[in-house]
Amino acid sequence: MSRTIDAIAPLRPLTHSRSKVAPWFSKELADMKRIYRGLEHRWLKTRSLFDQRQARNFLKHYMTSRLTAQRAFFSAAILSADNRPKELFRVVKSLLNQDQHKPNLDHSASRCQELATYFSTKIAQIRSNLDSNNIISDIMTPTIVIDCSPTLDSFQLVHPADIDNLLEGMRPTTCPLDPCPSWIIEQSRMGLANQICEVINASLQQGHLPGSLKEAIIIPLLKKPSLNPSCLNNFHPVSNLPFLSKIIERVVASQLQSFLELTDYYDSFQSGFRPGNGTETVLVALVDDLRKELDRGRMSLLVLLDLSAAFDMIDHDILLGRLSEMGLRGTFSVALLFLGGQITESTVWGF
């Protein structure tokens, strides 16, 4: 029996496929991460509010400790090159992980216009390839449900304390369209909270976003560093919105998230893009199901879909119909359409 097993399934060494651990990631952080994963799994199993609160509080503690370790490591590395400019540039370059073989990109205006034309033509081509008579004829007319409980037809107004908490948890990423660096707004949030509240509440009440906040800088990025930059299909556009637009998006997303959790509209197997959920659980469950079927002598077929330009292809009439079916109506549904589908009323292309 041993010789048979060795012939059919011989022992072979396991390969370590994990990526290189960051130098600041200590054993204490690894233990904290392991504890959080345990709390997360327990909450996903029990679905109790106590376990959810405990997991979220520990996650905040873990992220704070991780940020502190990062700052301490980077500060020590920079201080080690004090009064040595050459060594300082070497340390900063190593911390930024700059690719030595980064391709030379064409930053000319004609190249930017070429990219803008390519992506616009791509969307138009995908739409033209759809057979409207056979594929989407049955879903073009939204189904409006009259009796839907509960419903949400307006936003809740925010308070300065909400803005202060929101800014504290946001990354201060700056857009070239911002009048000032976003880190200044983040550090001055106590004095600017009232003014930001007035802008956000006016936008939420009217279901309208100012035109200046719909502008975005579109940055085409290579999908992989090894791809050919001369092929336009190897790029994917990333929009950089003004900082105030991102704050309004966070407010709308938070209220939408609360409503979807209240009405239990989330699929039980959805883990991505949900606070407190991790894709690790889905991968473990998927591998477990595949191994069970393998043990039973059955074959498994895994189908993975990757829709091209999925968000750009959203039909707004269908979207409004789906939102109405879910109980989102009035000002709330109109604002979601502006934030989700027509946020970039004016775009500027560039590298």
Side-chain angles (χ1 to χ4, degrees):
M1 180 65 69
S2 299
R3 290 196 300 270
T4 303
I5 294 178
D6 293 337
I8 297 177
L11 293 176
R12 61 175 182 267
L14 296 177
T15 58
H16 189 275
S17 59
R18 294 183 179 180
S19 58
K20 185 178 180 181
V21 180
W24 48 265
F25 194 80
S26 61
K27 182 179 181 300
E28 290 75 11
L29 290 176
D31 294 336
M32 293 177 65
K33 183 178 180 180
R34 191 178 302 107
I35 294 174
Y36 166 69
R37 291 301 185 188
L39 294 175
E40 181 188 31
H41 293 168
R42 185 173 64 183
W43 169 63
L44 292 175
K45 183 178 180 180
T46 62
R47 290 294 178 179
S48 68
L49 294 178
F50 175 79
D51 292 337
Q52 181 187 28
R53 193 179 302 110
Q54 190 176 15
R56 288 183 175 179
N57 292 338
F58 194 86
L59 176 61
K60 292 181 180 179
H61 175 59
Y62 166 71
M63 296 304 296
T64 302
S65 302
R66 175 173 173 163
L67 182 60
T68 302
Q70 286 179 331
R71 289 178 175 176
F73 174 80
F74 293 152
S75 299
I78 294 175
L79 289 176
S80 64
D82 191 21
N83 297 326
R84 292 180 294 166
K86 184 177 180 180
E87 181 66 15
L88 179 61
F89 279 107
R90 188 193 66 78
V91 171
V92 172
K93 190 174 182 180
S94 64
L95 294 178
L96 295 177
N97 294 323
Q98 293 181 346
D99 189 5
Q100 299 293 336
H101 304 286
K102 185 176 180 179
N104 295 325
L105 301 178
D106 185 3
H107 297 176
S108 62
S110 59
R111 179 64 169 177
C112 293
Q113 184 60 40
E114 184 181 0
L115 284 163
T117 304
Y118 168 77
F119 285 111
S120 300
T121 306
K122 177 182 178 181
I123 300 301
Q125 184 65 34
I126 294 176
R127 287 188 177 274
S128 64
N129 291 336
L130 294 176
D131 187 353
S132 59
N133 295 326
N134 298 328
I135 298 179
I136 59 175
S137 58
D138 297 334
I139 61 175
M140 283 301 296
T141 303
T143 302
I144 306 299
V145 179
I146 303 299
D147 186 13
C148 182
S149 180
T151 61
L152 184 62
D153 54 7
S154 61
F155 291 94
Q156 297 179 0
L157 300 183
V158 296
H159 303 283
D162 302 328
I163 300 300
D164 180 66
N165 295 332
L166 188 63
L167 291 176
E168 186 178 4
M170 290 184 62
R171 293 180 57 190
T173 55
T174 301
C175 174
L177 300 176
D178 288 327
C180 67
S182 56
W183 62 266
I184 296 180
I185 300 178
E186 195 274 334
Q187 293 186 3
S188 307
R189 60 181 183 271
M190 297 299 295
L192 298 176
N194 292 328
Q195 289 75 13
I196 295 177
C197 262
E198 292 179 2
V199 175
I200 294 177
N201 288 333
S203 180
L204 297 181
Q205 287 177 328
Q206 301 173 17
H208 177 74
L209 199 66
S212 59
L213 298 183
K214 299 179 189 178
E215 298 180 356
I217 300 294
I218 308 298
I219 304 175
L221 300 178
L222 277 174
K223 298 177 181 178
K224 293 182 180 180
S226 59
L227 296 178
N228 184 10
S230 61
C231 179
L232 300 181
N233 193 41
N234 293 334
F235 288 91
H236 66 94
V238 177
S239 62
N240 190 4
L241 292 167
F243 190 63
L244 186 55
S245 279
K246 299 174 184 177
I247 298 177
I248 298 178
E249 282 187 338
R250 287 290 187 93
V251 173
V252 173
S254 175
Q255 298 190 23
L256 176 62
Q257 176 84 20
S258 300
F259 178 78
L260 295 179
E261 291 180 351
L262 175 65
T263 55
D264 197 23
Y265 268 107
Y266 278 121
D267 190 279
S268 58
F269 294 101
Q270 178 181 343
S271 294
F273 305 101
R274 292 183 63 184
N277 288 263
T279 55
E280 178 184 355
T281 309
V282 178
L283 293 176
V284 171
L286 177 61
V287 173
D288 183 63
D289 291 339
L290 292 175
R291 288 179 175 174
K292 286 180 179 178
E293 295 302 315
L294 184 61
D295 292 340
R296 295 168 184 168
R298 301 176 182 175
M299 297 182 62
S300 300
L301 179 63
L302 182 63
V303 179
L304 303 176
L305 298 179
D306 185 9
L307 303 180
S308 179
F311 289 97
D312 296 326
M313 294 296 298
I314 293 177
D315 187 280
H316 293 163
D317 293 332
I318 298 176
L319 176 60
L320 287 175
R322 296 293 183 264
L323 293 176
S324 179
E325 293 175 1
M326 297 166 58
L328 301 171
R329 304 169 186 171
T331 306
F332 201 100
S333 62
V334 174
L336 285 180
L337 182 61
F338 271 102
L339 291 174
Q342 295 176 330
I343 189 68
T344 55
E345 183 177 82
S346 174
T347 59
V348 179
W349 285 78
F351 288 92

